[in-house]
Amino acid sequence: PGPQLPHDPSKKTIVILGSGWGATSLLKTLDTTEYNVVVISPKNYFLFTPLLPSVALGTLSPRSILQPTRYLARHKSREVRVIEAEAKSVDPINKTVTFEDDSEIKGQTAHTTIPYDYLVYAVGAEVQTFGIPGVQEKACFMKEMADAEKMQRRFKDCIETAGFPGQSDSEIDRLLHVVVVGGGPTGIEVSGEIHDFLEDDLKSWYPELAGRVRISLVEALPSVLPMFSKQLIDYTESTFKASKIQVLTKTMVKEIKDDAVVLQMPDKSIQEVPCGMVVWAGGNKGRKITQDLMAQFPSVQTNRRGITVDDHLRMVGVPSSSIFAIGDCTSTSYAPTAQVASQQGAYLARVFTQIAKRDKLEGKLKELEDKKAMTLKEEEKTALVGEEEGVKGQIAKLKLRPFHYSHQGSLAYIGSDKAIADLPFLNGNIATGGVTTYLFWRSAYLSTLFSLRNRVLVANDWLITKIFGRDLSRD
Ligand code: FAD
Ligand code: NAD
């Protein structure tokens, strides 16, 4: 019946759903000696999201920011099973998870259910479209690798189509107008990267068209980047102004059409703006599987932003604390960021070490109790009681500390070799921007990239782009 799950009946089974920031950080630090570990994810890799916009414009190649999960799993002390499949449902009462092979090639078995002792729920979030007409079908997203590849193909197509002989002036202007929706960090970074591509490459290779490319960033709120300080917001807005990126705040996208975007302007008037493509970076929304799981605990799981967890990241309402939830699928007081998800993953690894220790001690206690029940000699009984007290003391000391998030600062690339950083040093926030910050941004990302292999690949891509420019071919 094919390879079995690593089932050692004497050990508990942890099933991890996802291979993103939270899951990968957990897997990296988890001591697998005491557990059967199974990772289930529709992607058999970890995606380094902060550099995804760089892939969308060809600054980096896709492979450089992907790390196969098996590379990590292979180095663990006991076998970790990695299964490329999408979890479809969780039964928190019977402690099982059902998953399916959703890939193109399917075998005779493509759907199964397995039990778990502990489930780590780290499936992330999907793109929030607010049900706005046309967004799902017509916009490009910036969440998965496939989104970045699609955006790259479409942008290059717009440019080549604009160069088609006999194209009218108005059509050229439409095709070369890129609208980015969402002034959060994703929208800002995408706009910055498009601008770099324009300056560094398009001006050389498409001199007749480059001057006509326009980038508009649309944000419903009064300012972009609400999570950054006022000073950095101003710095970003003035950099964008100098880069000729039009920033439209208090402006809301109402519909996306094939050849235009419909905007509600600050004065509430409606305008239809022609454009060649729209990149949608409107934020996060819970996945269907997450909503279904939460719906099983309707009295406590009521937060629309995601799963409510306690101080120890246990899903509230679940019997016997068997589900832990981390990252973007949860609703906590922290922002849905890679930083938070990875710290939560590392914290859970420590929790599992503690649980394993506690389980061992409880097993020892049980042995001592059984032994005590069998013995008739008072002296031996007294000794066993003493030993029992010792073990109980050790168990009592194994207090699980609550999760504590330590904010290392926020960084965002804004194009033109500039980045902004809010760094919590000493007692205050140090806000900084400019070329030095950009260099810091690059080295910070290089050092946080998970494997040496990825670091080398990314550094190499940066060098190649600097020397030869970005690749213009469209596949
Ligand atoms: P993810 O990393 O999204 O991982 C979810 C995993 O679950 C994926 O492997 C997915 O394939 C898998 N999955 C999905 N559905 C299922 C299912 N049904 N069953 C099993 N597995 C499933 N944050 C920062 O702190 N700094 C940054 O610079 C930064 N830059 C970003 C840039 C971009 C373009 C984007 C989109 C996000 C960025 N973020 C950044 C946010 C950060 O990526 C997320 O907060 C982080 O990915 C959350 O981690 P996660 O583990 O919860 O989810
Ligand atoms: P976000 O939620 O931060 O921003 C989405 C923006 O889109 C909001 O400001 C919202 O007002 C706007 N919006 C939504 N619908 C709109 C509409 N119809 N018209 C106009 N504007 C609309 O989303 P994000 O930028 O994708 O970020 C998601 C998470 O990932 C955040 O927590 C963010 O901090 C994190 N992230 C961090 C970095 C970084 O640190 N460099 C980079 C990317 C993402």
Side-chain angles (χ1 to χ4, degrees):
Q4 291 302 301
L5 293 175
H7 193 74
D8 174 347
S10 69
K11 298 188 189 300
K12 290 191 170 164
T13 297
I14 302 174
V15 173
I16 303 171
L17 297 187
S19 55
W21 276 96
T24 303
S25 162
L26 163 66
L27 191 58
K28 198 176 171 207
T29 24
L30 181 67
D31 179 358
T32 56
T33 334
E34 299 302 334
Y35 295 101
N36 302 309
V37 180
V38 182
V39 180
I40 300 170
S41 175
K43 306 283 187 292
N44 71 352
Y45 54 75
F46 162 71
L47 165 65
F48 191 84
T49 47
L51 293 175
L52 192 61
S54 300
V55 170
L57 276 305
T59 314
L60 297 176
S61 50
R63 299 277 145 206
S64 304
I65 64 162
L66 300 181
Q67 185 190 4
T69 302
R70 280 168 213 280
Y71 286 8
L72 195 57
R74 186 183 63 188
H75 295 297
K76 303 308 290 187
S77 51
R78 282 185 69 241
E79 188 203 353
V80 170
R81 268 302 296 278
V82 179
I83 303 172
E84 191 195 72
E86 186 171 319
K88 294 290 176 188
S89 62
V90 175
D91 179 343
I93 307 302
N94 296 307
K95 300 211 274 188
T96 62
V97 55
T98 299
F99 52 93
E100 228 173 75
D101 178 358
D102 268 352
S103 67
E104 204 181 319
I105 311 270
K106 290 184 183 58
Q108 281 176 347
T109 308
H111 181 101
T112 191
T113 300
I114 59 166
Y116 62 81
D117 293 294
Y118 298 109
L119 182 75
V120 178
Y121 194 84
V123 302
E126 58 184 43
V127 178
Q128 174 63 278
T129 65
F130 302 101
I132 295 172
V135 176
Q136 193 74 48
E137 313 84 55
K138 292 172 185 148
C140 295
F141 295 152
M142 193 50 57
K143 188 99 183 123
E144 310 280 351
M145 182 50 76
D147 300 329
E149 290 174 325
K150 178 175 162 187
M151 181 191 144
Q152 186 173 153
R153 274 197 306 276
R154 206 176 267 194
F155 187 41
K156 288 176 179 170
D157 200 358
C158 282
I159 297 162
E160 294 294 353
T161 306
F164 194 85
Q167 209 67 270
S168 70
D169 271 350
S170 61
E171 187 63 347
I172 292 174
D173 288 338
R174 177 187 78 78
L175 287 162
L176 297 181
H177 184 202
V178 184
V179 175
V180 179
V181 187
T186 304
I188 292 288
E189 290 184 340
V190 170
S191 307
E193 291 276 354
I194 299 175
H195 169 264
D196 286 0
F197 184 40
L198 175 63
E199 286 297 317
D200 302 344
D201 303 279
L202 294 185
K203 282 196 170 159
S204 315
W205 303 113
Y206 300 87
E208 68 292 358
L209 295 175
R212 296 174 72 168
V213 174
R214 278 194 307 137
I215 309 164
S216 301
L217 178 74
V218 182
E219 170 53 56
L221 299 175
S223 91
V224 297
L225 296 174
M227 64 291 284
F228 282 86
S229 67
K230 167 94 178 61
Q231 187 197 343
L232 289 182
I233 292 172
D234 292 346
Y235 182 80
T236 306
E237 288 187 346
S238 64
T239 305
F240 272 24
K241 202 169 174 192
S243 306
K244 300 206 171 58
I245 300 173
Q246 186 186 23
V247 179
L248 300 165
T249 50
K250 295 188 194 158
T251 306
M252 200 182 280
V253 170
K254 288 293 193 187
E255 186 179 351
I256 297 177
K257 297 189 170 178
D258 280 327
D259 53 4
V261 60
V262 179
L263 303 179
Q264 180 182 294
M265 307 308 287
D267 63 3
K268 304 281 179 243
S269 65
I270 299 290
Q271 274 187 25
E272 193 167 313
V273 180
C275 61
M277 67 180 259
V278 178
V279 184
W280 181 267
N284 288 347
K285 168 185 142 189
R287 294 185 189 279
K288 182 174 178 300
I289 181 176
T290 307
Q291 291 163 13
D292 292 348
L293 176 59
M294 290 170 66
Q296 299 186 52
F297 304 95
S299 58
V300 280
Q301 290 293 339
T302 49
N303 195 322
R304 292 180 63 195
R305 286 195 303 121
I307 295 174
T308 305
V309 291
D310 66 13
D311 286 352
H312 296 84
L313 309 181
R314 295 173 292 215
M315 180 172 175
V316 171
V318 174
S320 67
S321 309
S322 54
I323 301 184
F324 293 89
I326 54 175
D328 285 6
C329 62
T330 62
S331 67
T332 60
S333 51
Y334 316 114
T337 64
Q339 247 189 91
V340 171
S342 60
Q343 288 186 29
Q344 289 177 329
Y347 166 80
L348 271 196
R350 293 194 294 275
V351 168
F352 282 122
T353 303
Q354 292 276 62
I355 292 176
K357 273 189 196 156
R358 193 193 61 203
D359 285 354
K360 254 192 182 161
L361 288 170
E362 279 175 355
K364 200 166 163 192
L365 199 61
K366 174 94 187 27
E367 259 174 38
L368 289 171
E369 276 164 4
D370 291 349
K371 219 165 149 189
K372 200 173 70 183
M374 306 275 282
T375 185
L376 294 172
K377 291 186 188 154
E378 270 318 305
E379 270 169 38
E380 272 181 36
K381 262 194 182 163
T382 318
L384 286 169
V385 169
E387 234 182 291
E388 259 179 27
E389 289 311 313
V391 175
K392 280 182 188 160
Q394 288 180 50
I395 292 175
K397 273 191 204 151
L398 285 178
K399 282 241 162 62
L400 285 182
R401 288 220 187 113
F403 171 70
H404 168 74
Y405 172 62
S406 147
H407 187 58
Q408 305 296 306
S410 304
L411 284 169
Y413 181 61
I414 60 171
S416 315
D417 286 355
K418 289 177 183 163
I420 50 168
D422 255 339
L423 301 172
F425 286 152
L426 306 170
N427 291 325
N429 267 328
I430 293 187
T432 147
V435 179
T436 330
T437 312
Y438 170 68
L439 290 174
F440 173 67
W441 181 81
R442 289 210 155 174
S443 48
Y445 278 136
L446 271 188
S447 58
T448 56
L449 266 181
F450 275 29
S451 72
L452 176 65
R453 175 181 159 276
N454 288 102
R455 280 179 215 163
V456 171
L457 289 173
V458 168
N460 187 52
D461 284 353
W462 275 336
L463 189 67
I464 299 276
T465 302
K466 201 84 207 151
I467 300 171
F468 301 108
R470 294 166 184 84
D471 189 347
L472 301 175
S473 50
R474 194 174 78 83
D475 53 2

